[in-house]
Amino acid sequence: MPLLKDGNLVGEDAWLSVADDAPLPEDRPALISHARWQADKEQLVGRNAPVGIRLPNTVDVLDFGPEAGRFDLIVLEFPKFSDGRAYSQARLLRERFGFGGELRATGHVLQDQLWHMQRCGFDAFEIAREDATQAFAAAMRSFSHVYQPTGDGRVSALKQRLAATRKQEAAE
Amino acid sequence: MAKAPKLKDQAHIVTANHLTSGDVVYLTVRNDWSRDIAAAFVAPNAEAAAAWLAEAEAQAARNIVVAPYLVPVDAGTTLPWPIQFRERIRAAGPTTEKAAGGVA
Amino acid sequence: MYQYDQIDQTLVDERVAQFRDQVARRLNGAISEDEFKPLRLQNGLYLQLHAYMLRIAIPYGTLSSRQLRALAQIGCKYDRGWGHFTTRQNLQYNWIRLEDAADALADLAKVQMHAIQTSGNCIRNTTTDQFAGAAHDEIEDPRVWCEIIRQWSTFHPEFSFLPRKFKIAVTGSPNDRAAVRVHDIGLRMHRNAAGETGFEVIVGGGLGRTPFIGKTIRDFLPRQHLLSYLEAILRVYNQFGRRDNIYKARIKILVHEIGIETIRDKIEAEWQAIRDGALKLPQEAIDQIAAHFAPPAFETLLGGVAPEYANAFRTDFEFGLWARRNTFKHKQPGYSIVTISLKKEGEPPGDMKAEQMLAVADLADRYSFSEIRVTHEQNLVLPHVKQSDLPALFKALKAYDLATPNVGLASDIIACPGLDYCALANARSIPIAQQIALRFKNWERAHDIGELKIKISGCINACGHHHVGHIGILGVDKNGEEFYQLTLGGSADQDAALGDILGPALDTAQTVDAIDSLVETYLRLRRNSDERFLDTYRRVGLQPFKEAIYAAA
């Protein structure tokens, strides 16, 4: 399935998804399940190569969040596009726990949800489309303004208006 | 959403909504769609009805209609007469006799 | 009224363009019906019993005359020349073609309107008191807060795929005309001991299959924290609300299952983490929005009754009836709030023809600073009418069948579209409403009965608010026949209560007769004409009413 990172197609995913009972590769970034992380935590913290984690959308990020910094990749799941729990998980990871690694959306990822995902902090998307880059580019052109402040750095309408008023007042 | 009735071994017609207009339509003997329930092809039993629905679903997949389903009808009448009250309203339009008029 | 700036207009225009593209992708087969459905729903486009239905958002029920004219024109251009006002202060067209939908939305955008988030599992149009900014009993204008919520909730990236739909209502008055206790979140403005205004926050109210009166989660929320607190509630709901069963997915079920204390702890903890962040509202930002809702240029009128008004009241009996029932006390001396009944006996409740819309738009220009409101009881309001203009307004309304003097009376019935239009309904609502209203056409009897709120839903989803009707009527399907279950004693006001089931369901003819018998029973039992139906019911209980309906059987 095509993988987009920051809007560009990633030729080959550097991450190896490792089954719960398989050994971890020594020299390659390994993606593990949340269950494995909980079971083998002691062992995994000593590992040199990067570790990524796949977080089910039923995990309470307030519990997991303090450990987020140990990972270079967190994969969040959309079992159906209409199941929006991972939007909140993403914002909490980015904005509450300061997660700076790759935040990847997987599952039922559709063009018309990419704008929301990107606003919530996702920067990578597994999207089942041949024209994934065009779909992403189109989605990013959806809106020129935003009403809500999120961690994506866009300036909210409210802040834009206040800045405009202050500028005007300063000029007077 | 259309409620799919349980498939009894009786006469059925197939209905759907036309994708672009949204109009209530019925599958005719010519495999096209009519707004007039009188033109609906009546499948005499459950087996024929299932095959008939499959044809309609193929047309839904080709983006001609939306959400096709079977409607049980009374086969003893000259025109297909839906057994469910809901389907009669759907065929004939709202019953509310509005002063606003059913048409512009 | 709120006026869009370049930002608001750009967003609405971009939304139209986005939807146009989505429709094109649907028509060329790039996306399936399953993928398209939530997209069209978030733009208000349903596939109903007969056709596509387009639900237009009327933010907090406020319309300008220009907007109402546009609604009339769109109704003629793309539909059948009329529209239907809903219990959520919105407007529905029943026969929109998919291929025209983007054009209709583009026409709406020209008058700063849209259909954004009028369906789907997202935050819906915020509703409020239809008398906002005019009522004599108001603490603060709730429209300011509704607009702040509108902006925050529009295209919210985190809360567009919630477990289920989410409805917020705000009241700025102690007399609740916005039914805040039966919403996912209800906000009631009040003053604390220091004299500051803030919000009582109520969560988990709602009707539908499992009705609940909302519970207070916070007694007093300072104004600047409104958005952070809402975001905290929604974030908890988005993560923990049930998604395994559509009937258990509303926040009311979460509150019920984990308990108000637990959910309060979660929400308060989340709020503590974000309360002083980017959502905290600077006073300047509140002031900027509030400036849009500055009072119109009222004339300074002397106290006392205008001679034109007094004279008409004395000499024109019909006018007197209308003025008594359909006007409400304004905060500005010499002005009244006028409710335009869309409940002429025998007509479908809430329906309005395009020519009536155009007439009301003209009357709003002439008599009410070009402002119109939509009520959750499916009527319209002219919020600022000089009392001296009331006789002329009455005459003009009468010419368009819009002067029925029945606001709050037995024939002022709330009814959902029911099986005549709705794909979910089990029974018809509108014909029952029509027949009942005709029973109370006699003005003398209707006015003698006084306030009586009859509310009809055609299925358990309760769009007609039957649980909170003084008399509630719920349509059910019994072996393919329409039956109706009656409830008594519900109320959506500040004394909110759910009705009690009277007994076994009745058929259509029995139902209409039963309403008559219930009213006769009330008239027999009431202490005096000041005791309303609801008061009598609360005093005497279900039994005498039950006997009146079922004893003979």
Side-chain angles (χ1 to χ4, degrees), chain C residues 236 240 253-264 266:
Chain C
V236 168
F240 302 105
I253 303 293
L254 181 66
V255 172
H256 179 68
E257 287 183 352
I258 73 174
I260 187 73
E261 299 302 332
T262 309
I263 200 168
R264 178 184 291 128
K266 277 182 185 286

Side-chain angles (χ1 to χ4, degrees), chain A residues 57-62 80-89 91-92 95-96 108 110-113 115-120 129 138-139 141-150 156-166 169, chain C residues 2 5-8 10-11 14-15 18 21-22 25 31 34-35 38-39 42 121 150-162 227 231 234-235 238-241 243 266 269-270 273-274 278-282 284-285 288-289:
Chain A
N57 70 2
T58 47
V59 169
D60 189 341
V61 173
L62 295 185
K80 282 186 300 187
F81 72 86
S82 54
D83 184 343
R85 282 177 272 204
Y87 294 107
S88 289
Q89 289 182 311
R91 285 196 69 193
L92 286 169
E95 298 171 36
R96 182 77 40 85
H108 202 187
L110 303 174
Q111 174 181 333
D112 295 289
Q113 276 75 51
W115 170 262
H116 297 90
M117 291 176 180
Q118 198 268 347
R119 289 224 63 211
C120 287
R129 278 177 68 133
R141 285 194 302 270
S142 301
F143 299 108
S144 319
H145 302 281
V146 299
Y147 285 122
Q148 308 79 9
T150 69
S156 71
L158 186 147
K159 286 262 157 53
Q160 279 185 293
R161 288 173 184 141
L162 282 182
T165 320
R166 283 173 188 154
E169 280 168 2
Chain C
Y2 187 74
D5 66 3
Q6 195 51 45
I7 294 174
D8 301 303
T10 302
L11 282 170
E14 286 173 341
R15 177 64 155 199
Q18 184 191 47
D21 171 62
Q22 288 163 346
R25 284 189 277 138
I31 49 177
D34 281 350
E35 290 169 0
L39 303 175
Q42 293 215 351
N121 294 334
R150 182 191 74 81
Q151 295 189 18
W152 162 79
S153 61
T154 299
F155 312 141
H156 199 298
E158 187 180 346
F159 306 134
S160 290
F161 297 93
L162 296 168
L227 293 185
E231 186 132 309
L234 267 297
R235 184 167 288 157
N238 189 41
Q239 294 179 92
F240 302 105
R243 290 177 187 262
K266 277 182 185 286
E270 180 58 35
I274 59 173
L279 283 173
K280 189 169 173 182
L281 289 162
E284 285 171 271
Q288 262 185 6
I289 301 284

